[in-house]
Amino acid sequence: MASREGKRRNHNHHHDNDEKLVPLAALISRETKAAKMEKPFVRFGQAAQSRKGEDYVLIKTDSLRVPSNSTTAFSVFAVFDGHNGKAAAVFTRENLLDHVISALPSGLSRDEWLHALPRALVSGFVKTDKEFQSRGETSGTTATFVIVDGWTVTVACVGDSRCILDTKGGSVSNLTVDHRLEDNTEERERVTASGGEVGRLSIVGGVEIGPLRCWPGGLCLSRSIGDMDVGEFIVPVPFVKQVKLSNLGGRLIIASDGIWDALSSEAAAKTCRGLSAELAARQVVKEALRRRGLKDDTTCVVVDIIPPENFQEPPPSPPKRHNNFFKSLLFRKKSNSSNKLAKKLSSVGIVEELFEEGSAMLDERLGSGDCSKESTTGGGIFTCAICQLDLAPSEGISVHAGSIFSTSLKPWQGPFLCTDCRDKKDAMEGKRPSGVKVI
């Protein structure tokens, strides 16, 4: 390795004079091409079986951090599992990405953009919930929202549509937290502290059945988008996790609870190893149905993050009757060729955790900010950290204020909220009755 580096240095030295003659535009082009080559390839597949028609998927592989600059591309994958109708799932699919992007300042470098992304996801989720509730519809939805930018994966979730990561070493990890009252003690305590009641459905004779639910409303989840009839202690503030993969890449499996009620994370990953993303998604759905039957909408998205040196364009599709056979041979062969390397690295921690936060408190999630850097757009105009509404300096209410009636507000301590978003924050934290507008 040292000799190769030495050879490279000598080669560069020999052509020093030539390099000076290369136009700047050509050098920038080289850098751009090199950066592009270092990025992994992203391939995906999806499959679903519908029972109620309330699961929805968002897949967008051509988003850009910088408009008209293809080297800033990132991909978005999301699963929305609606309940009490499909309205909330449809609305969230159509609006959540735009709300997240609008919460990100312009002019950021890639590293700065990734650093700001967790906070923007919180703002985007809450704004989407606030806008949907203003429509007066009682539907709700889970949301598991995944952004893949190079080797960095950022996941935000409310509800129980899980996202897992299967790495080349065979290690399976959850990138989300299930917000089910039955399984999450912290969420039960938060809901009851905020004014909700948690209990099972009671039938004739006082017998309690089924999972733990929040009352009023009877929802099994502690976080969702929508559900205005349940109470605002069912919050839209997402759990967010950001990781950086090694150059071995990995596989994401994003699915609704129709999958996870039938398969553990490990079983889902194991059942589709060696298959292409498209075939893997079908296999996960097939295995879930085999084990449990079609009792709920069952949706799966598989995303493969593939190192450039391992990527192979799939061959033209053979005749349909042989399609699955040839595809399985192709991907099994590729999997076996990387087996030795995977085994050598299986005991090494190859995923770097960059960020994780699950608090439901907005003042903890939106952080602190100097208004001159994060909360203004110039000209003395403040911006609400959630809805991005422009505010006069006298209108902004600090997210850190204990109450909208507090006399200890310090207007220079951002981020800031508009009155409507401050009202929503108070309701989510049980500081005023849900649905009551404070004037």
Side-chain angles (χ1 to χ4, degrees):
M1 187 70 174
S3 61
R4 290 179 62 191
E5 288 298 316
K7 186 176 180 180
R8 186 179 302 167
R9 284 196 296 270
N10 290 337
H11 177 79
N12 289 340
H13 178 73
H14 181 70
H15 292 284
D16 270 351
N17 293 330
D18 293 338
E19 288 291 345
K20 293 178 182 178
L21 301 177
V22 177
L24 178 60
L27 290 174
I28 294 175
S29 177
R30 288 181 190 176
E31 292 295 327
T32 300
K33 289 179 180 178
K36 189 174 182 180
M37 287 302 294
E38 291 174 359
K39 294 182 70 172
F41 289 91
V42 176
R43 292 295 179 263
F44 66 89
Q46 62 175 310
Q49 286 290 324
S50 177
R51 181 176 174 87
K52 297 181 290 184
E54 295 175 338
D55 276 8
Y56 285 83
V57 167
L58 172 65
I59 296 176
K60 186 173 174 59
T61 59
D62 57 354
S63 297
L64 300 176
R65 286 186 287 106
V66 179
S68 303
N69 185 343
S70 61
T71 65
T72 67
F74 64 94
S75 300
V76 179
F77 305 91
V79 170
F80 310 102
D81 180 359
H83 46 263
N84 198 19
K86 65 181 183 181
V90 171
F91 183 88
T92 304
R93 182 185 65 173
E94 293 176 350
N95 293 279
L96 179 55
L97 175 58
D98 288 342
H99 290 342
V100 172
I101 297 303
S102 70
L104 286 160
S106 60
L108 299 180
S109 68
R110 178 177 180 271
D111 287 345
E112 291 169 337
W113 191 87
L114 289 171
H115 183 75
L117 189 53
R119 174 171 158 176
L121 284 161
V122 173
S123 297
F125 269 65
V126 177
K127 182 178 180 180
T128 302
D129 175 79
K130 180 171 174 279
E131 286 190 355
F132 179 74
Q133 289 195 355
S134 71
R135 294 158 56 108
E137 300 183 61
T138 57
S139 173
T141 187
T142 72
T144 296
F145 193 81
V146 181
I147 292 179
V148 179
D149 187 335
W151 302 102
T152 301
V153 177
T154 309
V155 184
C157 71
V158 292
D160 58 0
S161 297
R162 193 180 305 168
C163 175
I164 68 171
L165 170 65
D166 186 19
T167 59
K168 291 293 185 180
S171 174
V172 179
S173 55
N174 290 346
L175 299 185
T176 54
V177 168
D178 290 347
H179 295 126
R180 286 187 172 183
L181 290 165
E182 182 73 30
D183 305 321
N184 197 317
T185 302
E186 289 184 9
E187 286 295 279
R188 290 200 299 270
E189 293 175 349
R190 180 190 62 76
V191 168
T192 54
S194 299
E197 295 184 11
V198 176
R200 303 185 194 280
L201 182 64
S202 182
I203 60 174
V204 178
V207 178
E208 295 185 340
I209 60 172
L212 288 174
R213 301 174 183 271
C214 178
W215 306 96
L219 189 64
C220 299
L221 305 174
S222 60
R223 302 195 194 190
S224 69
I225 290 175
D227 292 308
M228 66 174 297
D229 58 327
V230 178
E232 292 202 64
F233 32 77
I234 304 300
V235 300
V237 183
F239 170 88
V240 179
K241 190 177 183 75
Q242 188 176 76
V243 298
K244 183 177 181 179
L245 307 187
S246 77
N247 57 11
L248 292 179
R251 165 170 285 179
L252 303 172
I253 301 178
I254 314 159
S256 63
D257 65 344
I259 296 294
W260 306 118
D261 285 343
L263 301 174
S264 67
S265 298
E266 291 74 15
K270 185 176 180 180
T271 196
C272 66
R273 284 181 184 144
L275 300 177
S276 68
E278 181 182 354
L279 293 177
R282 296 178 190 173
Q283 178 59 29
V284 171
V285 170
K286 180 179 178 181
E287 182 63 14
L289 296 179
R290 186 187 70 82
R291 295 194 185 193
R292 192 169 180 263
L294 186 60
K295 296 184 178 181
D296 194 1
D297 292 338
T298 303
T299 301
C300 179
V301 177
V302 172
V303 182
D304 286 339
I305 302 169
I306 308 168
E309 62 271 17
N310 289 358
F311 179 74
Q312 299 177 18
E313 285 286 359
S317 297
K320 188 172 182 180
R321 59 181 178 174
H322 298 303
N323 194 33
N324 288 347
F325 173 72
F326 280 109
K327 281 189 176 180
S328 63
L329 282 181
L330 168 69
F331 284 93
R332 282 174 186 163
K333 182 178 180 181
K334 188 167 70 174
S335 176
N336 289 337
S337 69
S338 62
N339 248 356
K340 292 182 181 179
L341 179 60
K343 288 179 180 178
K344 288 180 181 179
L345 295 169
S346 62
S347 61
V348 180
I350 59 174
V351 177
E352 179 184 358
E353 183 177 304
L354 303 177
F355 179 90
E356 178 177 315
E357 180 58 70
S359 171
M361 307 297 286
L362 280 180
D363 57 338
E364 296 178 13
R365 303 303 300 277
L366 296 178
S368 59
D370 177 349
C371 65
S372 65
K373 296 180 180 179
E374 300 181 40
S375 303
T376 65
T377 56
I381 301 298
F382 292 81
T383 302
C384 175
I386 292 176
C387 70
Q388 311 307 309
L389 179 70
D390 287 342
L391 308 166
S394 60
E395 294 175 331
I397 304 171
S398 172
V399 72
H400 302 290
S403 165
I404 59 174
F405 301 109
S406 173
T407 58
S408 60
L409 290 180
K410 297 180 179 180
W412 60 88
Q413 291 184 344
F416 300 94
L417 302 179
C418 66
T419 302
D420 283 348
C421 289
R422 180 66 213 199
D423 288 351
K424 183 167 185 63
K425 176 181 182 294
D426 285 345
M428 289 192 299
E429 296 173 3
K431 294 175 181 174
R432 67 169 179 81
S434 175
V436 177
K437 182 172 178 64
V438 179
I439 300 177

